[in-house]
Amino acid sequence: MSDDLFEICDEAFRKFVLFGAELECLYTGLQFGEGPVYFADTDVLIWSDIPGNRLMRYVAGQVSVFRSPSNHANGNTRDREGRLLTCEHSGRRVTRTEYDGSITVIADAYRGKKLNSPNDVVVKSDGSIWFTDPYYGILNDQEGVKAPREQRACNVFRVDARDGSIESVADDCEMPNGLAFSLDEQKLYVSDTGFTESSDGARHIRVYDVLDGERLTRSRVFAEVNPGCSDGFRLDSEGFIWTSAGDGVQCLSPDGALLGRIKVPAGVTNLTFGGPLRNRLFMTGPTSLWALYTNRRGALIT
Ligand code: MG
């Protein structure tokens, strides 16, 4: 087992990784990578270069620009019909890319006021769209476009699949960031990266119980993540949580224990499982896109 690449904190993790696996750098030259999403039907990975104001595409070993300008896109996912959903910092909205390439706005305001700057997004099996809304994208002209905050809180929002209405489902995070449902959708994990704005701010993943499929209750801290923070994370097919961190990737058990680390130079901002077998971990770093084959498979929908 390569000590350079893996750190085993719990023996269970030894079986999660592949001896001799190589960390591949697929691309470098990003201003800040984020938001990887994998399309199995076309074997395409899409991800964001936020300050570069572009969405990137990796297919068949080649990298190209998928969309520019991207309105400083950040988190991406697919909905239950396979369409791309994107959080836009400077657009201050969540959009859906239709099959014909046109853009549909999913959410851009709450109670008549502009959103802060949507950060990351996930879709539940009922088609509802859940996303976080911290204000990183309106703090300066690097990550988006500097603008005043109109929302009183940094919410987690839910967009109803039937009527498109938007409701706040949580407002107790300082800077809500990545998010994912547990496999049975009875829990929602949300990372809080408030420490970037305050020295004693949050640096953890919270977990909520999902009530009636559409509300959140019992907010509590699930796991502290350091160094750095959990910017984005995904679950594997058995519910283990693979999160970005300042030293790379950390794998957490469903009860929040740290099982092991994958050390990635300069750290990881977000990740997703991909490849035809969903066993290839694609990781965005500040400047690079990385890939590593694992002995796990990503959850079918994360
Ligand atoms: Mg994020």
Side-chain angles (χ1 to χ4, degrees), residues 34-205:
E34 244 279 19
V37 58
Y38 179 73
F39 293 72
D41 45 356
T42 47
D43 194 20
V44 169
L45 186 87
I46 302 279
W47 81 97
S48 298
D49 179 0
I50 303 174
N53 203 9
R54 56 187 184 162
L55 282 166
M56 306 295 288
R57 168 172 48 197
Y58 174 84
V59 57
Q62 301 293 316
V63 171
S64 56
V65 174
F66 172 66
R67 179 184 300 162
S68 182
S70 62
N71 294 331
H72 300 87
N74 188 341
N76 297 286
T77 195
R78 300 183 79 179
D79 71 8
R80 296 289 162 147
E81 282 74 47
R83 295 168 295 191
L84 174 66
L85 297 178
T86 299
C87 295
E88 296 182 357
H89 275 185
S90 55
R92 301 176 73 170
R93 63 185 189 173
V94 177
T95 64
R96 180 174 65 222
T97 302
E98 307 293 352
Y99 300 128
D100 65 2
S102 61
I103 304 285
T104 299
V105 177
I106 299 296
D108 61 359
Y110 175 61
R111 293 186 172 167
K113 294 186 164 59
K114 282 185 181 179
L115 301 178
N116 291 321
S117 53
N119 189 291
D120 218 339
V121 57
V122 68
V123 180
K124 196 165 166 287
S125 60
D126 63 4
S128 58
I129 297 167
W130 301 58
F131 67 95
T132 54
D133 190 39
Y135 51 84
Y136 292 116
I138 52 175
L139 273 177
N140 55 54
D141 293 327
Q142 170 83 356
E143 297 278 320
V145 173
K146 192 173 181 178
R149 291 169 61 184
E150 298 186 18
Q151 298 295 330
R152 281 190 312 166
C154 293
N155 292 282
V156 180
F157 287 114
R158 173 185 180 275
V159 178
D160 191 273
R162 291 156 297 188
D163 60 15
S165 61
I166 177 172
E167 284 300 333
S168 170
V169 287
D171 63 1
D172 63 333
C173 288
E174 296 162 25
M175 291 297 250
N177 206 315
L179 73 174
F181 286 99
S182 60
L183 298 184
D184 61 7
E185 298 187 331
Q186 296 300 304
K187 291 177 188 161
L188 180 72
Y189 302 99
V190 180
S191 62
D192 188 345
T193 52
F195 82 100
T196 60
E197 305 310 300
S198 159
S199 58
D200 61 349
R203 193 192 286 261
H204 55 231
I205 298 174

Side-chain angles (χ1 to χ4, degrees), residues 2 11 93 139 176 210 217 236 244 255 290 301:
S2 165
E11 281 302 309
R93 63 185 189 173
L139 273 177
V210 179
T217 185
D236 69 25
S244 74
D255 59 8
W290 303 91
I301 298 291

